[in-house]
Amino acid sequence: QVQLVESGGGLVQAGGSLRLSCAASGIIFSIDAMGWYRQAPGKQRELVATITRPGSINYADSVAGRFTISRDYAKNTVYLQMNSLKPDDTGVYFCNVDFRATRIGAKRSYWGQGIQVTVSS
């Protein structure tokens, strides 16, 4: 059983900042990758940013230079610092974790419930 606790969403004006957090807990032997995805109304879920255990980071072109993903390995927590927010950044942001429950177990993917981010113009 894995739990993901997301926090930090809310309403902000364009140009403002928010910081999202996602803490993973439960039966976790190791985490391969953590990341954030988002889904705007009427649109498909899309990648925002991911970070793997070796520290490789990937950003969507639409957020590169404005958003920063980071990870606290000791706390199994991933953060997303979002600066210069735009109305197009509005949506539900989902935390995702790729993890293994045991040393030889298969890699699993788990999603958080999502957190609303609304950017007003």
Side-chain angles (χ1 to χ4, degrees):
Q1 191 78 5
V2 172
Q3 296 83 38
L4 296 179
V5 178
E6 300 158 319
S7 62
L11 172 64
V12 65
Q13 288 187 334
S17 299
L18 286 173
R19 187 188 192 214
L20 305 183
S21 299
C22 173
S25 63
I27 304 175
I28 299 173
F29 175 79
S30 66
I31 294 177
D32 293 340
M34 302 184 81
W36 290 95
Y37 294 73
R38 69 186 180 189
Q39 187 167 16
K43 296 186 178 180
Q44 290 188 332
R45 191 174 299 186
E46 62 178 3
L47 178 146
V48 176
T50 60
I51 182 169
T52 64
R53 186 167 183 83
S56 176
I57 293 175
N58 183 41
Y59 292 105
D61 289 343
S62 58
V63 307
R66 300 187 296 121
F67 291 10
T68 302
I69 190 170
S70 60
R71 183 173 160 183
D72 186 327
Y73 291 88
K75 296 181 179 180
N76 284 343
T77 299
V78 63
Y79 305 94
L80 185 69
Q81 177 66 43
M82 304 186 293
N83 298 328
S84 302
L85 283 160
K86 304 175 181 179
D88 284 347
D89 295 318
T90 294
V92 179
Y93 283 67
F94 296 89
C95 177
N96 176 260
V97 174
D98 290 338
F99 72 100
R100 299 176 194 273
T102 65
R103 185 177 63 84
I104 59 173
K107 185 171 70 174
R108 302 178 185 180
S109 185
Y110 196 81
W111 292 91
Q113 292 189 337
I115 190 166
Q116 179 70 42
V117 171
T118 303
V119 184
S120 63
S121 57

